[in-house]
Each structure stands twice: as C-alpha cells, then as structure tokens.
Amino acid sequence: MTELYSSGNADRQTVTIPDSQTHKTTKKWGLNMDRTERREQQIAHAKEHFAHHKAIFRQLDGMSTLDWRNENGSSNYYVRYVFDESHGFLYISGDLGTAAVELTERATLKALSDYEVGYFMEKIRCSTNLYCYDAEIAKEDLTYYVQNYLGSCEEDLSDRKVPLPKEFDVLLESLDERDGWNLTEEQKIWLSERCPDYWEWLYSTGKYIDTRVVCWLVGLQMAWKQVKDKLVDSLTTGL
C-alpha cells in the first residue's frame, strides 16, 4: 500500500473549472449572467473552505482512497473519496453529502481531476441534492421566456393573457430553494391560460447546480495538485 501525505497549501493553488453548458441556459433561454456569477461564487466558496485542507491518498490493489480534510483535523467540509478504479466507480461521503459516480473509464484521481462540472454531473447516478433554486434567477428566466419566446410564436396571441414580469412575484412564492416548484391548482390554471405548455419549461427555471457538486470537483482538483508529484514518483519507484 502506498500512502501519500501532502502539505495543505491549497490557498496558493489556482483551481480552474472550465465553463460548462449546465451553468448557462440553452439557446432558447439565452445566457443567464446570474448563473455564471453563481458558478464563480461557488468556486471561490470551495477554494476558501478548502484553503487549509490536506490530501491523504492511499493506493490499494485496484482501489484507492482520498481523505480530504482540514489540516487541523476538523470535520468541517471533510470529504472522503473511494475510487473503485477497475470498475469505474467513485463513491463520495462526508460533510457535504454522498454520491455514487459511474465513469466510462478507470476511476482514478488523475482522470477525475480533468473533469468539468457538466460532465461530472452526467456521471452521478445517485446523490444528496444536486440542484438548488433561486427566485431571482427564476424571475429572469420567466421574463426572458415571455419576451423572447411567446412574442415570437407564430400562433395568434391577441386573445391570450400574456403575463407581465411583475405578476411572477406571486408565482415565485411557490418556489422552494431546495425542492423547486410546488404550484397550487390555482397557479396551474393561471399559467395554463397564459402559457399552455408551461409544464415543458417552467420546472427548470431558477435551477442551478448545488454548491456541493462544485466543491466535490474542486476538492478532487486541489487534492490532485497536492499529491500528483509524489504519486508519479511512487509509481516510478514501484512503491
């Protein structure tokens, strides 16, 4: 067994996660700057809370483990990663929740450190909450839909009660930051009179990737930067 320890100097490291299509809306919705800013804030949040984390990486036969913990021993923001390398699975547990991730390649720390958020999300098979919802982002999405989609429909909208942005405030009372939309029957009727296909798009409005997912990936990237040189040395020397 190879056990690698690395000093927790993550605050002097640069962690970059490429932009993913998942933090932008589709072409139908256009680019939502709130989501872009939210992603930047999430990355900064992860780096701040992982600034003094130390990676303890253990290589076993066909498996490996990574304990990602503050060097003072605190369990705050502690994450444990178990890599079932040969079967292509990653298991995550700890203070930020749990997840099972299925890869189409060997599940190694090096491989996962190259992932970006959108691709990482596609590989998660089960997890603690993956998404959150934000009322301001939802209102922007709804306003964009009304202005750019309803207004360009080929059908005659003259007899339809097109909703005004200010009317969304009442609707947004049914948006929970964890569970998403929980519309009343009255709200469903109100929406169907104005946007008959609302059910096709409404439930994705205001939705963004939970910070825990970004933290899991930032943790993998920062940990790899700490251990990669020693890992390469150990494999070269046969330890």
Side-chain angles (χ1 to χ4, degrees):
M1 179 180 74
T2 300
E3 186 167 324
L4 302 174
Y5 295 85
S6 174
S7 59
N9 293 324
D11 55 328
R12 292 198 293 271
Q13 298 174 345
T14 301
V15 178
T16 302
I17 297 179
D19 285 341
S20 160
Q21 63 180 7
T22 58
H23 79 274
K24 301 175 181 178
T25 50
T26 63
K27 290 183 179 179
K28 175 179 175 180
W29 298 102
L31 175 62
N32 188 312
M33 291 306 296
D34 283 347
R35 284 186 174 83
T36 302
E37 294 170 2
R38 182 66 60 97
R39 175 61 53 77
E40 293 172 352
Q41 292 170 359
Q42 289 174 320
I43 293 174
H45 175 90
K47 292 169 64 176
E48 177 184 356
H49 285 82
F50 289 154
H52 300 288
H53 271 48
K54 180 173 72 173
I56 301 178
F57 184 82
R58 298 178 176 89
Q59 184 69 59
L60 307 170
D61 185 16
M63 298 189 68
S64 56
T65 64
L66 169 64
D67 286 291
W68 183 236
R69 184 190 296 272
N70 193 301
E71 58 189 354
N72 66 12
S74 169
S75 61
N76 190 34
Y77 276 73
Y78 164 71
V79 186
R80 179 174 175 82
Y81 304 90
V82 177
F83 305 84
D84 186 348
E85 297 178 356
S86 58
H87 293 92
F89 275 90
L90 167 67
Y91 303 97
I92 303 173
S93 59
D95 190 40
L96 300 177
T98 60
V101 187
E102 182 180 14
L103 281 62
T104 54
E105 60 181 319
R106 286 180 60 84
T108 66
L109 174 57
K110 180 180 185 301
L112 282 152
S113 70
D114 288 332
Y115 281 29
E116 49 84 34
V117 174
Y119 189 67
F120 184 63
M121 283 283 293
E122 292 176 4
K123 302 302 179 183
I124 297 176
R125 294 295 171 258
C126 59
S127 171
T128 312
N129 296 55
L130 291 176
Y131 295 98
C132 289
Y133 296 81
D134 181 271
E136 289 303 315
I137 294 177
K139 188 170 184 177
E140 182 178 335
D141 289 342
L142 291 167
T143 302
Y144 187 93
Y145 178 83
V146 169
Q147 294 176 345
N148 294 274
Y149 181 67
L150 288 184
S152 62
C153 284
E154 295 181 359
E155 60 182 300
D156 183 13
L157 299 179
S158 59
D159 61 346
R160 183 180 300 177
K161 303 174 183 177
V162 178
L164 301 174
K166 64 181 181 180
E167 294 182 277
F168 293 140
D169 290 335
V170 176
L171 189 65
L172 290 169
E173 294 177 0
S174 295
L175 180 65
D176 182 88
E177 66 177 13
R178 281 295 177 187
D179 299 326
W181 291 97
N182 184 26
L183 300 175
T184 65
E185 288 302 316
E186 290 79 6
Q187 289 173 324
K188 291 178 181 179
I189 293 172
W190 183 88
L191 271 169
S192 63
E193 291 176 347
R194 293 155 175 80
C195 313
D197 61 347
Y198 76 89
W199 53 271
E200 293 182 349
W201 53 266
L202 176 71
Y203 294 102
S204 63
T205 59
K207 189 176 183 180
Y208 67 96
I209 295 175
D210 195 293
T211 301
R212 80 176 77 249
V213 178
V214 179
C215 285
W216 285 335
L217 192 56
V218 170
L220 288 166
Q221 293 186 338
M222 294 175 72
W224 172 245
K225 288 187 176 184
Q226 288 187 20
V227 307
K228 63 180 180 179
D229 292 336
K230 292 184 179 180
L231 181 59
V232 170
D233 290 343
S234 70
L235 293 176
T236 301
T237 58
L239 296 178

